[in-house]
Amino acid sequence: MQPGNPAVDTADVSALLERGRTLSTPVLRAAVDRLAPPMDTVAAYHFGWIDAHGNPTDADSGKAVRPALALMSAEAAGAAPEVGIPGAVAVELVHNFSLLHDDLMDGDEQRRHRDTVWKVHGPAQAILVGDALSALANEMLLELGTVEAGRATRRLTTANRKLIDGQAQDISYEHRERVTVEECLEMEGNKTGALLACAASIGAVLAGCDDRTADKLEEYGYHLGLAFQAVDDLLGIWGDPEATGKQTWSDLRQRKKSLPVVAALAAGGPASERLGALLAADAKSTDFDTFSEEEFATRAALIEEAGGREWTSQEARRQHAVAIAALNEVDMPARVRDQFAALADFVVVRKR
Amino acid sequence: MQPGNPAVDTADVSALLERGRTLSTPVLRAAVDRLAPPMDTVAAYHFGWIDAHGNPTDADSGKAVRPALALMSAEAAGAAPEVGIPGAVAVELVHNFSLLHDDLMDGDEQRRHRDTVWKVHGPAQAILVGDALSALANEMLLELGTVEAGRATRRLTTANRKLIDGQAQDISYEHRERVTVEECLEMEGNKTGALLACAASIGAVLAGCDDRTADKLEEYGYHLGLAFQAVDDLLGIWGDPEATGKQTWSDLRQRKKSLPVVAALAAGGPASERLGALLAADAKSTDFDTFSEEEFATRAALIEEAGGREWTSQEARRQHAVAIAALNEVDMPARVRDQFAALADFVVVRKR
């Protein structure tokens, strides 16, 4: 498969994402309403349901790939998509717990074109509401009171732990001069792969599938996550700020050792060496914060020249292929398999 | 019962606490060892197993009331104390998750005579390791893979949510001029009662007890928690810094609207009014941070004069009585019942 290939039926993927959002959002909102004030308001702000003054808004609430996956996952196990709803909501809650905490730890001031929670409501609320969403996720599932819900909670907890491991790695890598491509992939697998793995299997687990099916669906989701993250890393440097809602050269400004950077540094050759020397100097620079657009553009050009951009593009396609291979090992209705494949295609060609 | 009454067999309680610590600590350490670096080290520092330089220490790791309760709880349901160990560890993990996050949110620089984690390792590690301990708690239980473990996780999750609600209330009360006694008790029930409730029932739940038994044991633990917190509030103002490891007038320095303060303000009369006027002025004061010992001593004396100290002492005894009444509604071996009662007595007479 090639990104941009006509096999990607964008209309179809939009419908899947829309269905995930439509079926899960009311349940998500009801769950968030259970939070004690002011946490309910802070969470509603984070999800883009209200603005900083408490007025209802219709802000961009993200792509909703995870809820879509959770519902498709229930269908993969022969159940109605609705069976996956509590899983979709629980995964979204854990995802947003990690966004709230990560934005605070990373000092990120913007997300989805809006000020982050810690910026608007302060660090304590960001910590607290993150904690509350994480606990709520388990509560939602365990309230179902079934053996399947217990299994789903266990898988979600494992994903939650990996998210935390990934964030720990991300933070520690920022202080290191060199990070290997393998370390970067491991970190991204933890930060992005683990929860998409859980999303892709949780509906089937709730529908009572066997462990092998759940594991294979997790494998699909994990590699989909790595493809997703490779694309995210490309967008973090070369993305259109209008589309991504992030600053230009966003990841470079944060000195992120993302895949294109790490791959460019590992490539060797003159551009790679010049990049390495520049980034090493940047790490010690006291006026990094006042760098101009041109300075970041120079670094981006070196990353591209050293092959980091092309390598990351190819990596997205490699991970995509592994995801599809895992999918093909699970017995499921052909229509559902096609939907999983279309979603994987979408992840690789997206612009935001 | 009267605190200080000879019914409290201190040796017996020490043995119970020691047993809880001895049986749960190796399992807790093994759980913490599963954290990815540097989180394992940060957690080990928090638990007092190593110092800030990574050298092994034997620091005060807390009273360990919760592990003791979890083991006794298994015995209450006729099982061996060991059945309660995963519950004891899970509860300790959640307790320490909340300490890590609360210390950061509250800006507390000291705990158990040592610098807090955010002070030594930075805010990001405090957030991250707190998150990790909370997830690890669920993982520990769910790995047991039994129906009982699912029920235990559900109760622990409820307690976790209440901890968060209580911290949210605590933070919001700090910005309010007046807090009612009822609001204060609700907040303390969430912050302290809920997790002791879980500790007192989790062993029995893991041993397969019925819901009514678990609920009654929770009731014992909840009111034990409120008694515990009333004593803590007394120690937070009049405690011996040598024994508590906190600064003199610790809670007053933090403008905490703890039970003695709230009760004194609600009492009416001249001392209550003078206290109210002083605290209202303090809230707006710009040099509160430079207050002398004498200024805090004046406030403490007014709280006592208005009856806040005596009311809180009596409240500890009232909650103790409710705890014992709940205990008496559960069928259990007489020896175990006596131990629960002795622990409740200990909580009310402790000096640290």
Side-chain angles (χ1 to χ4, degrees), chain A residues 96-111:
Chain A
N96 284 282
F97 137 75
S98 82
L99 296 182
L100 279 162
H101 283 192
D102 289 1
D103 284 343
L104 174 59
M105 287 184 252
D106 300 341
D108 287 345
E109 302 188 355
Q110 291 265 316
R111 167 164 308 275

Side-chain angles (χ1 to χ4, degrees), chain B residues 314-329:
Chain B
Q314 282 179 16
E315 178 65 12
R317 289 192 283 270
R318 278 190 294 273
Q319 295 293 349
H320 176 281
V322 181
I324 298 298
L327 192 63
N328 289 335
E329 288 187 60

Side-chain angles (χ1 to χ4, degrees), chain A residues 25 65 71 75-76 123 152 178 195 218 224 233 253 278 286 302 311:
Chain A
T25 304
V65 170
L71 305 196
E75 288 186 294
R178 284 284 167 121
L195 197 59
E218 280 209 354
L224 179 74
D233 284 356
R253 289 177 197 278
L278 264 182
T286 52
L302 283 172
W311 186 89

Side-chain angles (χ1 to χ4, degrees), chain A residues 247-283:
Chain A
Q247 277 185 290
T248 53
W249 323 115
S250 166
D251 285 357
L252 298 181
R253 289 177 197 278
Q254 293 179 60
R255 311 175 201 243
K256 244 190 208 160
K257 298 197 177 60
S258 64
L259 272 185
V261 177
V262 166
L265 291 173
S272 172
E273 277 161 31
R274 272 171 57 214
L275 178 70
L278 264 182
L279 297 185
D282 289 355

Side-chain angles (χ1 to χ4, degrees), chain A residues 105-127:
Chain A
M105 287 184 252
D106 300 341
D108 287 345
E109 302 188 355
Q110 291 265 316
R111 167 164 308 275
R112 299 172 191 150
H113 307 259
R114 306 161 76 226
D115 283 344
T116 46
V117 163
W118 70 266
K119 192 83 183 140
V120 176
H121 295 282
Q125 291 300 327
I127 297 172

Side-chain angles (χ1 to χ4, degrees), chain A residues 15 45 73 79 84 86 94 124 129 141 150-151 154 157 162 167 174 184 212 214 230 238 266 285 299 301 319 322 329:
Chain A
Y45 171 78
S73 158
V94 168
V129 175
L141 287 177
R151 289 173 60 215
R154 186 169 165 193
T157 299
K162 286 188 180 168
Q167 173 68 1
E174 272 168 42
C184 187
R212 186 189 165 275
W238 295 281
S285 162
R299 283 149 186 79
Q319 295 293 347
V322 181
E329 289 187 61

